[in-house]
Amino acid sequence: MILLISDLHLHEERPDITGAFLAFLEQYAQQAQALYILGDFFEVWIGDDAMTPFQHSIAAALHQVATQGTQIYLMHGNRDFLIGKKFCQLAQCKLLQDPSLVSLAGEQVLLMHGDSLCTSDHSYIRLRKVLRNPLVLFVLRHLPLRTRQRLAGDLRQKSKTSTRMKAMNITDVNPEAVEQVMQQHQVRTLIHGHTHRPAVHNLTDNKRRIVLGDWENQGWFLQVTQADFALKTLSFPKSKFKSVLSEPDA
Ligand code: LP5
């Protein structure tokens, strides 16, 4: 069994999400061959040198699962693209390029975070180009911690205001960009997150686009077995501080 998740936005202020994730590790990931995390695992990441005790505890939880035999892969998202080698060493996970072609249940599948497919969102694509420029990344990583915290806070604020004013089709993936990337990599299946619109889209020519959900109100994961690719949900515990999961809803 292989599991895929994305957009957990882990944050110390959401112990319910953290609790659900830790229970997911124990109840599902420990039994899996591999766990793929397709970006925005953390609410925001300003550098491995600025890791909080909370972020250390998440790395330790992943490390524990990895030492029990589950291979963990992590892809950057638009909120945590500054995750680097130190976190990966602590968590014992492998950093995955976006996009990545992987073999799942004997099929070559394309994995992405999904933000780069939102090509109609011109202001975001412009911002992404700036933030992912290697020179800018170098500068960002070397800014004083306080400056990074302030910039990240400003950026989140601007993003919240800006996304509220964007039309639904602008913040979704662009169908032509999807077709193009699937054609380029010659795949039948594309799996991504980012849009927070979980679904299995059946496309033309027997192709499919599977969208992972965010963990704002419930957990989402894709379970891949030889039999099928099943998108599943997990209810959060009633109490914010309990870390017990109910059985998958589907
Ligand atoms: O994140 P989400 O899903 O809510 O919205 C995204 C797009 N927004 C972003 C920004 C992130 O939320 C914040 C990133 C924080 C990273 C922290 C580490 C780096 C900082 C370290 C120190 C600097 O990705 C949003 C999309 C939406 O997805 C849907 O796809 O629409 O994009 C925007 O809202 C962008 C706005 O349209 C444009 C904002 C212009 C801001 C210009 C400031 C330039 C600062 C440059 C700093 C070098």
Side-chain angles (χ1 to χ4, degrees), residues 9-10 25 42 44 48-49 54 79 89 92 130 134 139 166 172 174 181 184 186 200 205 207 209 213 219 230 240 243:
H9 301 149
L10 291 176
L25 287 183
F42 289 101
V44 75
D48 290 6
D49 59 328
F54 169 76
R79 307 262 194 104
Q89 266 164 15
Q92 231 181 286
V130 173
V139 173
K166 291 176 188 172
D172 202 354
N174 177 301
V181 79
Q184 184 191 341
Q186 294 286 298
V200 178
D205 300 329
K207 290 181 182 169
R209 177 170 69 90
K240 272 196 158 190
S243 60

Side-chain angles (χ1 to χ4, degrees), residues 5-18 21 37-45 54-55 58 77-80 113 156 193-196 213-217 236:
I5 54 175
S6 80
D7 300 276
L8 280 79
H9 301 149
L10 291 176
H11 193 244
E12 41 253 274
E13 282 169 24
R14 287 295 304 267
D16 54 339
I17 302 178
T18 307
F21 174 62
I37 304 170
L38 299 189
D40 284 3
F41 183 47
F42 289 101
E43 172 70 4
V44 75
W45 194 270
F54 169 76
Q55 290 166 339
I58 298 296
N78 55 298
R79 307 262 194 104
D80 55 14
H113 175 57
R156 280 295 304 128
H194 180 68
T195 59
H196 303 184
D214 60 289
W215 285 45
E216 175 65 24
N217 301 311
F236 281 177

Side-chain angles (χ1 to χ4, degrees), residues 44-45 78-79 81-82 118 121 123-124 127 131 140 148 151-152 155-156 158-159 162-163 166 171 194:
V44 75
W45 194 270
N78 55 298
R79 307 262 194 104
F81 57 87
L82 287 179
C118 301
D121 191 346
S123 61
Y124 172 64
L127 175 67
L131 291 177
L140 288 181
R148 274 182 276 160
L151 280 174
L155 213 46
R156 280 295 304 128
K158 283 197 172 67
S159 176
S162 158
T163 40
K166 291 176 188 172
T171 52
H194 180 68

